[in-house]
Amino acid sequence: MRHFPDFPDFPADPPPARLPGHAWGNLPAEFNEFVGRGPELAALADRLRQCRLVTVTGTGGVGKSRLAVRAARDQQDRFCDGVWLVDASTVLDSGLLPQAVADTLGLTDGTDRPVLTVLGEHLAGRRALLLLDGVEHLVEECAALVHHLLRAAPELRVLATGRRPLELPGEQVLPLDPLPVPGEDAVELFTRRAAAVVPGFPADAGEQAAAVSVCRHLDGIPLALELAAGRMRALSVTQLLHRLDDRFQVLTGSGRGVPARHRTLRTAVGWSHELCTPQERLLWARLSVFTGHFGLEAAEYVCVGPDLAEEDVFELLAELVTQSVVVRERHADEVRYRMLDTVREYGADWLDALGGTERMRRRHRDWYLGLATWCELDWFGPRQLSIKKQIDAELPNLRAAMEFSLDCGEEAHLGQHLASSLWFYWVGCGRLTEGRHWLDRALEVSSARPGSRLKTLWVTGYAAVLQGDTAGAVAALMECREGAEAAGDSLAAAYAGHRTGCMALLSDDMPRAERLFREALERYREAGELNSNVLMGQVELAMTLAHQGDLAGAVDLCEDVVEVCGRFGERWALAYALHVLAWAAWADGEARRASDLLTECLAIHHTFGDLLGLALSLELFALVTAGLGDPGEAALLQGAAGRLWPSVGPKLFGSRYFHVPHLRCEELARAALGDAGYELRRREGEGLDLPAVVRRVLPGAAPEAETCGNRMQDSPAAPR
């Protein structure tokens, strides 16, 4: 037992959900077919009512995940703040475990606070259920995480699954045994799966009796039963039973000291492996390099070789799906695939035995390096939101690719290139904390390619500026500038100067910021560089001009940005240009035009889930609303914006220039409402969650965009 202090318990009967039938959380609509397990399901529900931490344990393939997901779905109405599923099995770097939970909750933070602190503050006072699935490879880290969260959030409950308990005080453990044989549940599972392959099975009492024998041989382990049922396409149940007899006599006695059920499962997996054709076995082994789910094109690239043609991969993959070796999943408009951990581990062992692990991991890395490179180029165009979703889906594999490269000394520069090429994702899609993790790791390794390090340095400086880490930003950008000048890399020098200008802008040194932005933009022009970063440099220069009273110059710059964005279909930089144009319109007395511009600006920020962009624009929208004669709504919007700032950084960056709209709005609203009336409405705004605020300012917002916008995101401030 670890020496953790106890965490407080709370009453066993939570109140009903906030809105009956409202879906709070991220549980899948389906998690394969759930068969039997009635008593276990009832026992798990009872434990969840009585205590705050429950861990379902058992051998691999016994059905822990399915039972936990089913129980969590049944309990959804009891947790008004959601039931959230975290797939811990895809987290290879223990340092990213808190980030994985934050990602699941849609919670990131624009400051440099520890993710654990952010998680604790977010969950404090919330009644939610957190399901940590597959914790056995990170037991120590999961235990520390769960202990912190349960102490920080008295109304939180945690359901974990793994092959061993977390061993925390107050933990209730539910050991999950295989389905009993003889018994109805095991036979029902096997016959359902077999009938999906052979309609009408079982056709007679003989086949039914053989099915019972198969279940007995496989100890009622669900994964083993599904693998065996997948073989019914090629074998009769009698042939299946005979092969099991032969195989188990040879294999189940091996491995002294290994629990019988583990031997049974491995034997079942191995038996399924031996029944595969040589080509299917080869693909099985090579697919084991993927982490989480993967697409067909990735499999076709990674797994090919002289002994496996690209045109054969799809048919072989389809066979592995039929045999339950690979699971087919639907993700939006794409079919993707994954392997259960036990099956993937078996394939990885065979890949090692074949001597192909390094080659396959390198091909895997090359595919995802190419993906990141193309997405970086494509980011400057109309596919920005699609790219965000694509990287979201591929993140576990991108992490594995970075891990491989950064641990491979002679190719560390590729890891640096991969981490820095994802700047658009770290910055534009609310991933600054994880981005800094990988960028800092990339800077720790030596590289023979100075260009890769220079790019990593300016991207690190960029992220540090947005996190408020001035010391880290100065160190990275100074090294980048000096290295770029020494290497004659004018483009890296331009990026370093650009991001140094951002620091000057936020610290109210407008003359220096203007000089640095102009120098960077000139270097961009000389190099022929045009992308979202360059457009943001132009918007940031416009901000410095506006703060110095040159509204006409600011408008000219931003109208040019709007025109370029229109030609290329860019939306991310466009939103910030619209913000500056709205400020200029307000200053010129065109409050209605300013309101229209801000509505479009807010809609774009909402689509990307750009929390800081929303906070900044809400502040200006509040001022415009007050000027249009609704001081009560203006005060409410100020309160709503104030609720967002702690997740972004210092309120309005601690800048007297950026603070002007807020002070002017407060002055107008207080004069109209009185101090008491203003404070009442402001506090009302502080009580609104982000979806409610978005519905208020964007009545026609799409539900899917609202979900994206509900993230406590670490998006950049005005300087991007």
Side-chain angles (χ1 to χ4, degrees):
M1 178 72 71
R2 300 178 185 84
H3 296 290
F4 287 110
D6 290 345
F7 40 77
D9 211 335
F10 67 99
D13 296 313
R18 185 182 290 118
L19 293 174
H22 195 97
W24 296 90
N26 72 327
L27 288 182
E30 295 180 356
F31 198 92
N32 291 338
E33 186 179 4
F34 189 82
V35 176
R37 297 293 194 192
E40 294 90 342
L41 190 61
L44 182 52
D46 186 57
R47 282 170 169 77
L48 283 172
R49 282 191 291 269
Q50 293 180 12
C51 59
R52 302 185 58 205
L53 171 61
V54 181
T55 303
V56 180
T57 63
T59 186
V62 80
K64 301 182 294 293
S65 298
R66 295 183 193 185
L67 179 70
V69 169
R70 176 58 180 266
R73 289 183 62 196
D74 290 350
Q75 298 288 315
Q76 274 185 312
D77 288 345
R78 301 177 58 243
F79 296 95
C80 57
D81 292 299
V83 179
W84 303 91
L85 171 62
V86 180
D87 186 359
S89 68
T90 65
V91 181
L92 305 181
D93 186 328
S94 61
L96 291 177
L97 181 61
Q99 186 64 48
V101 178
D103 291 344
T104 298
L105 294 173
L107 171 68
T108 50
D109 189 83
T111 69
D112 58 356
R113 297 180 297 169
V115 180
L116 267 180
T117 300
V118 177
L119 282 171
E121 291 179 1
H122 176 75
L123 290 169
R126 296 179 187 267
R127 187 174 290 273
L129 174 63
L130 187 64
L131 199 171
L132 293 173
D133 188 34
V135 302
E136 54 269 356
H137 67 303
L138 295 173
V139 169
E140 297 291 336
E141 294 82 359
C142 283
L145 169 74
V146 169
H147 183 262
H148 175 85
L149 295 182
L150 290 176
R151 288 184 64 81
E155 295 190 294
L156 175 70
R157 298 195 183 192
V158 176
L159 173 58
T161 73
R163 298 181 189 181
R164 51 177 290 193
L166 298 180
E167 298 182 4
L168 285 170
E171 178 183 27
Q172 287 282 320
V173 178
L174 178 67
L176 189 62
D177 293 325
L179 296 169
V181 181
E184 294 182 0
D185 291 343
V187 176
E188 181 184 1
L189 175 61
F190 176 77
T191 54
R192 283 193 188 184
R193 296 294 185 268
V197 177
V198 182
F201 179 85
D204 53 40
E207 288 192 335
Q208 180 69 22
V212 173
S213 296
V214 167
C215 295
R216 182 178 294 109
H217 273 75
L218 296 176
D219 284 346
I221 298 175
L223 175 57
L225 295 175
E226 294 195 5
L227 289 171
R231 285 296 165 190
M232 292 288 290
R233 184 178 185 184
L235 300 171
S236 72
V237 68
T238 303
Q239 290 174 310
L240 183 66
L241 183 57
H242 288 327
R243 285 177 174 265
L244 281 175
D245 279 334
D246 294 341
R247 189 54 47 201
F248 273 60
Q249 287 174 8
V250 174
L251 297 179
T252 53
S254 62
R256 291 183 180 179
V258 179
R261 283 169 183 156
H262 287 271
R263 294 201 306 270
T264 298
L265 177 60
R266 186 163 183 83
T267 300
V269 176
W271 171 79
S272 186
H273 183 265
E274 290 192 8
L275 290 179
C276 289
T277 67
Q279 292 290 86
E280 290 167 358
R281 294 179 203 168
L282 185 60
L283 181 60
W284 180 344
R286 292 179 176 179
L287 289 175
S288 68
V289 299
F290 289 99
T291 301
H293 50 75
F294 55 89
L296 176 60
E297 288 185 351
E300 288 175 331
Y301 175 86
V302 172
C303 298
V304 299
D307 45 3
L308 184 60
E310 179 180 339
E311 57 268 23
D312 294 334
V313 170
F314 174 70
E315 292 299 331
L316 293 169
L317 183 59
E319 283 298 314
L320 293 178
V321 170
T322 300
Q323 298 162 26
S324 298
V325 172
V326 173
V327 179
R328 177 186 183 275
E329 295 180 338
R330 187 81 181 181
H331 289 256
D333 57 348
E334 180 187 13
V335 171
R336 293 178 67 81
Y337 306 90
R338 67 178 174 88
M339 301 175 85
L340 297 179
D341 285 346
T342 304
V343 175
R344 181 168 55 82
E345 289 167 7
Y346 193 94
D349 288 345
W350 271 93
L351 189 60
D352 276 340
L354 293 170
T357 299
E358 185 172 348
R359 175 177 174 270
M360 283 298 104
R361 291 199 67 187
R362 183 168 281 107
R363 288 189 64 83
H364 175 274
R365 188 274 317 284
D366 291 347
W367 171 265
Y368 287 100
L369 179 62
L371 174 71
T373 301
W374 278 110
C375 285
E376 181 186 19
L377 294 172
D378 248 6
W379 181 253
F380 185 55
R383 294 188 60 249
Q384 287 175 323
L385 189 57
S386 297
I387 289 168
K388 173 196 179 298
K389 293 177 179 177
Q390 184 175 13
I391 300 298
D392 279 341
E394 298 288 9
L395 189 55
N397 283 299
L398 286 163
R399 290 167 176 161
M402 286 186 282
E403 191 85 44
F404 173 75
S405 296
L406 295 175
D407 287 342
C408 188
E410 67 275 13
E411 297 182 355
H413 65 281
L414 296 178
Q416 293 176 334
H417 183 76
L418 179 51
S420 58
S421 292
L422 290 169
W423 67 265
F424 64 92
Y425 186 66
W426 310 137
V427 170
C429 304
R431 298 282 184 161
L432 278 179
T433 302
E434 179 167 355
R436 279 298 299 276
H437 172 89
W438 290 112
L439 292 165
D440 288 346
R441 277 199 59 185
L443 290 178
E444 291 171 359
V445 301
S446 59
S447 169
R449 308 289 181 89
S452 296
R453 181 171 182 83
L454 289 175
K455 184 173 183 179
T456 306
L457 283 167
W458 74 253
V459 175
T460 301
Y462 187 2
V465 168
L466 301 177
Q467 287 186 305
D469 178 11
T470 303
V474 169
L477 294 174
M478 282 186 63
E479 183 183 346
C480 181
R481 185 172 65 251
E482 292 170 359
E485 299 294 353
D489 190 334
S490 62
L491 196 54
Y495 279 109
H498 178 177
R499 295 308 160 194
T500 305
C502 290
M503 285 194 293
L505 174 61
L506 292 185
S507 59
D508 288 342
D509 189 349
M510 297 304 157
R512 181 166 184 260
E514 180 182 351
R515 175 176 59 81
L516 289 167
F517 287 141
R518 289 191 185 280
E519 289 175 358
L521 289 169
E522 180 60 29
R523 286 188 166 185
Y524 289 148
R525 279 191 289 271
E526 291 174 355
E529 186 85 342
L530 180 61
N531 55 32
S532 300
N533 259 315
V534 174
L535 293 184
M536 281 307 310
Q538 196 164 327
V539 172
E540 289 151 357
L541 174 59
M543 290 178 176
T544 66
L545 297 181
H547 289 321
Q548 295 176 91
D550 184 5
L551 286 178
V555 168
D556 287 344
L557 285 168
C558 287
E559 286 182 342
D560 182 64
V561 170
V562 171
E563 189 274 329
V564 174
C565 287
R567 279 194 284 120
F568 287 91
E570 211 279 354
R571 303 284 288 169
W572 178 60
L574 173 65
Y576 288 90
L578 295 175
H579 179 96
V580 177
L581 291 173
W583 169 245
W586 162 256
D588 285 341
E590 300 180 63
R592 181 53 60 189
R593 180 168 182 268
S595 177
D596 292 342
L597 288 167
L598 284 170
T599 298
E600 184 179 357
C601 173
L602 286 162
I604 296 171
H605 288 316
H606 170 54
T607 299
F608 282 107
D610 188 340
L611 190 65
L612 190 138
L614 283 169
L616 195 65
S617 296
L618 275 176
E619 294 280 6
L620 185 54
F621 196 64
L623 172 60
V624 172
T625 301
L628 289 172
D630 195 345
E633 184 69 8
L636 182 144
L637 292 175
Q638 281 200 317
R643 176 173 174 168
L644 302 183
W645 280 109
S647 294
V648 174
K651 187 172 184 178
L652 290 155
F653 324 122
S655 162
R656 68 178 186 275
Y657 288 102
F658 283 99
H659 213 65
V660 168
H662 180 91
L663 294 176
R664 180 57 179 152
C665 177
E666 182 177 345
E667 179 184 339
L668 291 173
R670 282 188 185 276
L673 301 172
D675 289 345
Y678 171 81
E679 291 297 336
L680 180 65
R681 292 291 283 171
R682 185 186 61 79
R683 286 193 296 271
E684 183 181 344
E686 287 180 344
L688 296 178
D689 61 13
L690 188 54
V693 176
V694 169
R695 286 192 296 269
R696 203 171 189 102
V697 298
L698 301 171
E704 60 272 16
E706 181 176 305
T707 301
C708 179
N710 195 25
R711 299 181 60 176
M712 302 300 290
Q713 173 178 327
D714 46 39
S715 48
R720 300 300 285 252

